[in-house]
Amino acid sequence: MRADPASVVGRRILFLAHSHAFGPFRVGSHHYARVLAGNGAEVVHLSTPISLAHRATGRVSRDAAADVPEGPQRDADGVTHLVPRTILPRPYGRFRVARELRRHGILPDFDAVLVDQPLLWDNSVRGMARRLVYRPTDLYPVGVKARRQRRIFEASDGVVATSAVVLHGLGAADIPALVLENGVDAARFAASEGAAQARPDVCVYVGALDGRFDWERVMAWARSYPHVRFAIAGPAAAAPGDLPANVELLGPVAYDALPAVLHDARVGLLPLSDDPLNAGRSPMKLYEYLAAGLAVVARATPVIASDVSAGLFTYTEPAQADAALGLALEHPSPNAAGVRRARTQSWEEKTRTLMAFLAELPAR
């Protein structure tokens, strides 16, 4: 019988993460924390502070800040979430992770600490961890995050990157390293057994609508396929003003409501822009789309490759994009082969792999 993930490295685990769990998005650290807590670990998930400066400049709206509880919040899975409040944004000001934990009655002594937000690094972190692992999820080629990342990397016992591109971006490593792409909560996104009828001609995108999203590609698809509805979900959409009539902006979609939105579509879209940071992304939506029974069209990257048998179609040039979408619309619906592929990427198995890697690291 296989050991549960939490028992591999101990019972107290801290995530220092870039995203909190009180908005529409779920990221890898949330899922790892959920699985570990479900297996009996005491898990604390501390994410990027909300600063007074961010609120004053509008980077964090009043409503968004109000939706985030102050102080420790234990969720239904048993994870303790903490989103600090500061005056200045990280890495500026006097904020220290160990001091913040103590302030809320949380002992800063952990069997493992996993960091994916470089801005949360300070000198107190190393002293809290028997095993310290850097878990980069993005490329940071320059700037303050790049400098902080280097400090974490030098202090860590191991590194777990979400793609080979992200790992390569760290440079030469003399510590143990692992590439572990993002997974999926396949059961959450699975359609009911009775929902076997073909889906309508709807293409959906759910996620951030920043510079890494290709609005021009979506508009070109909409003009080429006027009979298809394109549903675009995401917060703070700075959409072009000349969107075709068959493009619908849904706004932010709560995580709990996301499966229903996907089950009403036939194709999931990953229209990545030419932003170089997209090269290293391991988008969680890829497997969520597949788990929900959608075919997928994505811009090809070093991480995302075509798998026609599983209903995953990629393109590299604009001329290929229309043809890729046409193939996806013709793919059997619901996409049973894609569902099977998604099931091989469960967060439970990802967590076992992660914890087994940590178990091989020497404890300090």
Side-chain angles (χ1 to χ4, degrees):
M1 188 176 191
R2 300 179 71 180
D4 70 77
S7 68
V8 175
V9 296
R11 291 289 172 178
R12 297 200 80 228
I13 299 172
L14 172 67
F15 288 88
L16 298 179
H18 53 75
S19 298
H20 63 70
F22 302 101
F25 297 135
R26 293 293 179 273
V27 297
S29 61
H30 301 152
H31 291 288
Y32 285 126
R34 169 181 59 82
V35 174
L36 287 164
N39 281 276
E42 180 185 348
V43 183
V44 178
H45 187 281
L46 187 151
S47 53
T48 310
I50 296 176
S51 72
L52 181 61
H54 281 145
R55 283 175 282 170
T57 58
R59 289 190 61 185
V60 177
S61 71
R62 182 186 298 272
D63 289 343
D67 288 340
V68 180
E70 297 192 35
Q73 181 80 16
R74 187 179 175 90
D75 68 16
D77 296 311
V79 179
T80 298
H81 295 270
L82 180 59
V83 187
R85 297 319 201 258
T86 59
I87 297 174
L88 296 175
R90 293 295 298 149
Y92 310 105
R94 301 180 60 190
F95 175 86
R96 296 293 182 271
V97 172
R99 184 165 56 208
E100 180 72 6
L101 292 171
R102 287 193 185 95
R103 191 167 75 86
H104 295 287
I106 300 172
L107 181 67
D109 181 15
F110 295 91
D111 297 300
V113 175
L114 297 100
V115 185
D116 68 53
Q117 168 56 291
L119 297 181
L120 282 172
W121 176 256
D122 66 61
N123 291 335
S124 74
V125 175
R126 175 67 266 187
M128 299 188 300
R130 292 181 180 83
R131 296 174 177 89
L132 177 66
V133 169
Y134 182 41
R135 199 181 72 84
T137 63
D138 218 333
L139 292 167
Y140 303 115
V142 296
V144 63
K145 286 187 177 181
R147 295 191 293 272
R148 292 273 162 162
Q149 175 176 256
R150 176 51 51 185
R151 296 181 192 176
I152 302 170
F153 195 34
E154 292 172 351
S156 292
D157 302 308
V159 58
V160 178
T162 51
S163 74
V165 174
V166 167
L167 181 61
H168 180 74
L170 295 173
D174 58 0
I175 57 175
L178 172 69
V179 173
L180 190 59
E181 295 181 3
N182 284 320
V184 64
D185 185 355
R188 172 182 287 274
F189 288 93
S192 62
E193 291 186 8
Q197 69 274 14
R199 308 281 179 83
D201 284 343
V202 176
C203 297
V204 65
Y205 170 82
V206 180
L209 297 168
D210 53 21
R212 296 186 288 184
F213 178 81
D214 189 351
W215 279 110
E216 292 298 324
R217 170 44 38 209
V218 172
M219 292 192 293
W221 275 328
R223 288 190 288 265
S224 296
Y225 293 89
H227 67 285
V228 175
R229 182 167 70 92
F230 292 81
I232 309 300
D242 55 345
L243 285 178
N246 56 333
V247 178
E248 180 182 1
L249 302 182
L250 303 182
V253 174
Y255 184 67
D256 288 343
L258 181 55
V261 172
L262 298 186
H263 295 159
D264 285 338
R266 189 181 187 96
V267 176
L269 302 175
L270 287 171
L272 306 178
S273 72
D274 58 5
D275 188 319
L277 297 182
N278 275 328
R281 289 181 67 186
S282 174
M284 288 174 53
K285 287 297 172 287
L286 170 59
Y287 288 115
E288 291 176 353
Y289 290 159
L290 292 175
L294 280 67
V296 178
V297 178
R299 183 170 182 168
T301 72
V303 180
I304 305 173
S306 180
D307 184 353
V308 173
S309 64
L312 170 56
F313 304 90
T314 62
Y315 61 92
T316 55
E317 301 296 332
Q320 302 169 336
D322 279 353
L325 181 55
L327 291 171
L329 289 166
E330 294 171 0
H331 191 77
S333 176
N335 177 15
V339 172
R340 289 193 293 271
R341 175 169 171 179
R343 286 174 181 162
T344 68
Q345 304 296 321
S346 74
W347 283 114
E348 287 73 18
E349 286 304 312
K350 301 283 184 181
T351 304
R352 291 185 189 280
T353 301
L354 174 64
M355 293 298 108
F357 174 80
L358 264 66
E360 295 297 319
L361 304 177
R364 299 199 185 191

